[in-house]
Amino acid sequence: GMVMAFEPQTQMFQLLNANCVINGRRNIVPVNAAVGERAGPVKLTPADQGEEVNFGAVMVDLHREKERGDHVGMIVLDDFVR
């Protein structure tokens, strides 16, 4: 079957795409977006690449109040699959 893989972080999304190509996974559809209860632009807190445990862990700033971070689109999963 088809797998939809949502990844809002740019760097992690690039790694996801590379892994799909390297491993010949044609049934995976990478989507560069956050998933939430409402659609619209959001901001991700910056990833800490020096973190030893989970350097990909970030938070979504719904109010976009943080000074730094990536701006991404957030989608509602129900709207995406219709």
Side-chain angles (χ1 to χ4, degrees), residues 9-79:
Q9 283 184 283
T10 301
Q11 191 172 20
M12 296 297 112
F13 181 72
Q14 291 169 346
L15 287 172
L16 173 63
N17 276 304
N19 277 315
C20 290
V21 171
I22 290 169
N23 293 295
R25 305 299 358 164
R26 295 183 184 172
N27 65 322
I28 299 174
V29 179
V31 180
N32 189 204
V35 177
E37 66 182 33
R38 65 174 188 245
V42 295
K43 193 177 213 180
L44 301 177
T45 58
D48 183 359
Q49 303 300 325
E51 180 66 37
E52 292 182 16
V53 179
N54 186 0
F55 64 82
V58 297
M59 294 178 54
V60 174
D61 181 7
L62 295 174
H63 306 290
R64 298 178 305 223
E65 295 173 350
K66 305 282 185 209
E67 291 180 18
R68 298 175 45 227
D70 291 336
H71 292 270
V72 298
M74 185 160 64
I75 63 162
V76 177
L77 192 55
D78 290 343
D79 295 342

